[in-house]
Amino acid sequence: MKIFLDTANVQKIKEAAAMGLCDGITTNPTIILKEGRDHKEVINEISALISGPISVEGIGETADEMAKDAVEFSKWGKNIVAKVPMTKEGLKAVRALEAKGIPTNVTLVFSPAQALLAAKAGASYISPFVGRLDDISQDGMALIAEILAILKNYGFKSQVIVASVRSPMHVVEAAKAGAHIATVPPDVFDKLFSHPLTDKGIKMFIEDYKKANAAAGAKK
Ligand code: G3P
């Protein structure tokens, strides 16, 4: 499974990239607002750091507006993906942009029917929001399994990006379901590394290393 970071925080992206753990980036206006930076400036900087796809979302409401935004975004760096909402206008934009060679990511997907339509329209990526479904007492990960089954039935090329990830278990469940990608916010990414037994084991080995040297020194 590919791991994308769901952030525009350049430090976090650098850190993950240094471990080979940043296969791509997803952003949205809320994520960019958190950094307090200009859209173009931050996307430009991210594009210089990673070679994977970078999803950028505009505010166009009609297909023409979305396509115009996407053409502009695609000038901001390499591998820019146009994020468009799951609406009729959004899917018209998907068709036009994919035909032009600009990959699209259909966002705000909450049902298998929406994912089927996005796949048929030719989206490169489909982003179901698992956390927001869990928030309203629906099973976000069950949606992922349904979408993956539909895509497999018909050999659709669209890749599923498990989005609105809120916990390490979302990432693990995404991998178990065979999702192509999980896009992970920095706080959840950091939690993926931790296990109390790892910390305990490191502490014990350091102490025993020192004890072993001290014991050997005492024998001399
Ligand atoms: O990738 C979409 C994601 O950023 C939405 O996450 O936590 O706002 O539901 P959240």
Side-chain angles (χ1 to χ4, degrees), residues 85-118:
M86 177 53 224
T87 59
K88 286 182 180 172
E89 289 300 305
L91 295 193
K92 281 186 211 164
V94 165
R95 205 154 176 78
L97 288 166
E98 294 279 350
K100 269 193 191 149
I102 297 178
T104 58
N105 173 0
V106 176
T107 188
L108 293 163
V109 168
F110 294 97
S111 77
Q114 290 179 321
L116 173 63
L117 297 182

Coordinates of all heavy atoms in Angstrom, one line a residue, residues 85-118:
P85 N -14.6 17.8 -6.4 CA -15.7 17.2 -5.6 C -16.6 16.2 -6.4 O -16.7 16.3 -7.6 CB -16.5 18.4 -5.1 CG -16.2 19.4 -6.2 CD -14.9 19.2 -6.7
M86 N -17.2 15.3 -5.7 CA -18.0 14.3 -6.2 C -19.4 14.9 -6.6 O -20.4 14.7 -5.8 CB -18.2 13.1 -5.3 CG -19.1 12.0 -5.7 SD -18.8 11.3 -7.3 CE -20.4 11.2 -8.0
T87 N -19.4 15.6 -7.7 CA -20.7 16.2 -8.2 C -20.8 16.0 -9.7 O -19.8 15.5 -10.3 CB -20.7 17.8 -8.0 OG1 -19.6 18.3 -8.7 CG2 -20.6 18.2 -6.5
K88 N -21.9 16.3 -10.3 CA -22.0 16.1 -11.7 C -21.0 16.9 -12.4 O -20.3 16.5 -13.4 CB -23.4 16.4 -12.2 CG -24.4 15.4 -11.9 CD -25.8 15.8 -12.4 CE -26.8 14.7 -12.0 NZ -28.2 15.1 -12.3
E89 N -20.8 18.2 -12.0 CA -19.9 19.1 -12.6 C -18.4 18.6 -12.4 O -17.6 18.6 -13.2 CB -20.0 20.5 -12.0 CG -21.3 21.2 -12.4 CD -21.3 21.4 -14.0 OE1 -20.4 22.0 -14.5 OE2 -22.3 21.0 -14.6
G90 N -18.2 18.0 -11.2 CA -16.9 17.4 -10.9 C -16.6 16.3 -11.8 O -15.4 16.2 -12.4
L91 N -17.5 15.5 -12.1 CA -17.2 14.3 -13.0 C -17.1 14.8 -14.5 O -16.3 14.2 -15.2 CB -18.3 13.2 -12.9 CG -18.3 12.6 -11.5 CD1 -19.2 11.3 -11.5 CD2 -17.0 12.2 -10.9
K92 N -17.8 15.9 -14.8 CA -17.5 16.4 -16.2 C -16.1 16.9 -16.3 O -15.4 16.7 -17.3 CB -18.4 17.6 -16.4 CG -19.9 17.3 -16.8 CD -20.6 18.6 -17.2 CE -22.1 18.4 -16.9 NZ -22.8 19.7 -16.8
A93 N -15.6 17.6 -15.2 CA -14.2 18.1 -15.1 C -13.3 16.9 -15.2 O -12.2 17.0 -15.9 CB -14.0 18.9 -13.9
V94 N -13.6 15.8 -14.5 CA -12.7 14.6 -14.5 C -12.5 14.1 -16.0 O -11.4 13.9 -16.4 CB -13.4 13.4 -13.7 CG1 -12.7 12.1 -14.0 CG2 -13.3 13.7 -12.2
R95 N -13.6 14.0 -16.7 CA -13.5 13.6 -18.1 C -12.6 14.5 -18.9 O -11.7 14.0 -19.7 CB -14.9 13.5 -18.7 CG -15.1 12.5 -19.8 CD -16.5 12.0 -19.9 NE -16.5 11.1 -21.1 CZ -16.0 9.9 -21.1 NH1 -15.5 9.4 -20.0 NH2 -16.1 9.1 -22.2
A96 N -12.9 15.8 -18.8 CA -12.1 16.7 -19.6 C -10.6 16.7 -19.2 O -9.7 16.7 -20.1 CB -12.7 18.1 -19.4
L97 N -10.4 16.7 -17.9 CA -9.0 16.8 -17.5 C -8.2 15.6 -17.8 O -7.0 15.6 -18.2 CB -8.9 17.1 -15.9 CG -9.4 18.6 -15.6 CD1 -9.6 18.7 -14.1 CD2 -8.3 19.6 -16.0
E98 N -8.8 14.4 -17.5 CA -8.1 13.1 -17.8 C -7.8 13.1 -19.3 O -6.7 12.6 -19.7 CB -8.9 11.9 -17.4 CG -9.1 11.8 -15.8 CD -7.9 11.2 -15.1 OE1 -7.0 10.7 -15.7 OE2 -7.9 11.3 -13.8
A99 N -8.7 13.6 -20.2 CA -8.4 13.6 -21.6 C -7.2 14.5 -22.0 O -6.5 14.2 -22.9 CB -9.7 14.0 -22.4
K100 N -7.0 15.5 -21.2 CA -5.9 16.4 -21.4 C -4.6 15.9 -20.8 O -3.6 16.6 -20.8 CB -6.2 17.8 -20.7 CG -6.9 18.8 -21.5 CD -6.8 20.1 -20.7 CE -7.8 21.1 -21.4 NZ -8.4 22.0 -20.6
G101 N -4.7 14.8 -20.0 CA -3.5 14.3 -19.4 C -3.3 14.8 -18.0 O -2.2 14.6 -17.4
I102 N -4.3 15.5 -17.4 CA -4.2 16.0 -16.0 C -4.9 15.0 -15.1 O -6.2 14.8 -15.3 CB -4.7 17.4 -15.8 CG1 -3.9 18.4 -16.7 CG2 -4.7 17.8 -14.4 CD1 -4.4 19.8 -16.6
P103 N -4.2 14.2 -14.3 CA -4.9 13.2 -13.4 C -5.8 13.9 -12.4 O -5.6 15.0 -12.0 CB -3.8 12.5 -12.7 CG -2.6 13.3 -12.9 CD -2.8 14.3 -14.0
T104 N -6.9 13.2 -12.1 CA -7.9 13.7 -11.1 C -8.1 12.8 -9.9 O -7.8 11.6 -10.0 CB -9.2 13.9 -11.8 OG1 -9.7 12.6 -12.3 CG2 -9.2 14.9 -12.9
N105 N -8.5 13.5 -8.8 CA -8.8 12.8 -7.6 C -10.2 13.2 -7.2 O -10.4 14.4 -6.8 CB -7.7 13.1 -6.5 CG -8.0 12.6 -5.1 OD1 -9.0 11.9 -4.9 ND2 -7.1 12.9 -4.2
V106 N -11.2 12.3 -7.2 CA -12.5 12.7 -6.9 C -12.7 12.5 -5.4 O -12.5 11.5 -4.8 CB -13.6 11.8 -7.6 CG1 -15.0 12.1 -7.1 CG2 -13.5 12.0 -9.1
T107 N -13.0 13.7 -4.7 CA -13.0 13.8 -3.3 C -14.4 13.9 -2.7 O -15.3 14.0 -3.5 CB -12.1 15.0 -2.8 OG1 -11.9 14.9 -1.4 CG2 -12.7 16.3 -3.3
L108 N -14.5 13.7 -1.4 CA -15.8 13.8 -0.7 C -16.7 12.6 -1.2 O -17.9 12.8 -1.5 CB -16.4 15.1 -0.9 CG -15.7 16.3 -0.1 CD1 -16.1 17.6 -0.7 CD2 -15.9 16.2 1.4
V109 N -16.1 11.4 -1.3 CA -16.9 10.2 -1.7 C -17.3 9.5 -0.4 O -16.5 9.2 0.5 CB -16.0 9.3 -2.6 CG1 -16.6 8.0 -2.8 CG2 -15.8 10.0 -3.9
F110 N -18.6 9.3 -0.4 CA -19.2 8.6 0.8 C -20.1 7.4 0.6 O -20.7 6.9 1.5 CB -20.0 9.7 1.6 CG -19.2 10.8 2.2 CD1 -19.0 12.0 1.5 CD2 -18.5 10.6 3.4 CE1 -18.2 13.0 2.1 CE2 -17.7 11.6 3.9 CZ -17.5 12.8 3.2
S111 N -20.2 7.0 -0.7 CA -21.0 5.8 -1.0 C -20.4 5.0 -2.2 O -19.6 5.6 -3.0 CB -22.4 6.3 -1.4 OG -22.4 6.7 -2.7
P112 N -20.7 3.7 -2.2 CA -20.2 2.9 -3.3 C -20.7 3.4 -4.7 O -20.0 3.4 -5.7 CB -20.8 1.5 -3.1 CG -21.3 1.5 -1.7 CD -21.6 2.9 -1.3
A113 N -22.0 3.9 -4.7 CA -22.5 4.5 -6.0 C -21.7 5.6 -6.5 O -21.3 5.7 -7.7 CB -24.0 4.9 -5.8
Q114 N -21.3 6.5 -5.6 CA -20.4 7.7 -6.0 C -19.1 7.2 -6.6 O -18.6 7.7 -7.6 CB -20.2 8.6 -4.8 CG -21.4 9.3 -4.3 CD -21.1 10.2 -3.1 OE1 -20.4 9.8 -2.2 NE2 -21.7 11.4 -3.1
A115 N -18.5 6.2 -5.9 CA -17.2 5.6 -6.3 C -17.4 5.0 -7.7 O -16.5 5.2 -8.6 CB -16.7 4.6 -5.3
L116 N -18.4 4.3 -7.9 CA -18.7 3.6 -9.3 C -18.7 4.7 -10.4 O -18.1 4.6 -11.4 CB -20.0 2.8 -9.2 CG -20.4 2.2 -10.6 CD1 -19.4 1.2 -11.1 CD2 -21.8 1.6 -10.4
L117 N -19.4 5.8 -10.1 CA -19.6 6.8 -11.1 C -18.2 7.5 -11.3 O -17.8 7.8 -12.5 CB -20.6 7.9 -10.7 CG -22.0 7.4 -10.5 CD1 -23.0 8.5 -10.1 CD2 -22.5 6.7 -11.8
A118 N -17.5 7.8 -10.3 CA -16.1 8.4 -10.4 C -15.2 7.5 -11.2 O -14.5 8.0 -12.1 CB -15.5 8.7 -9.1

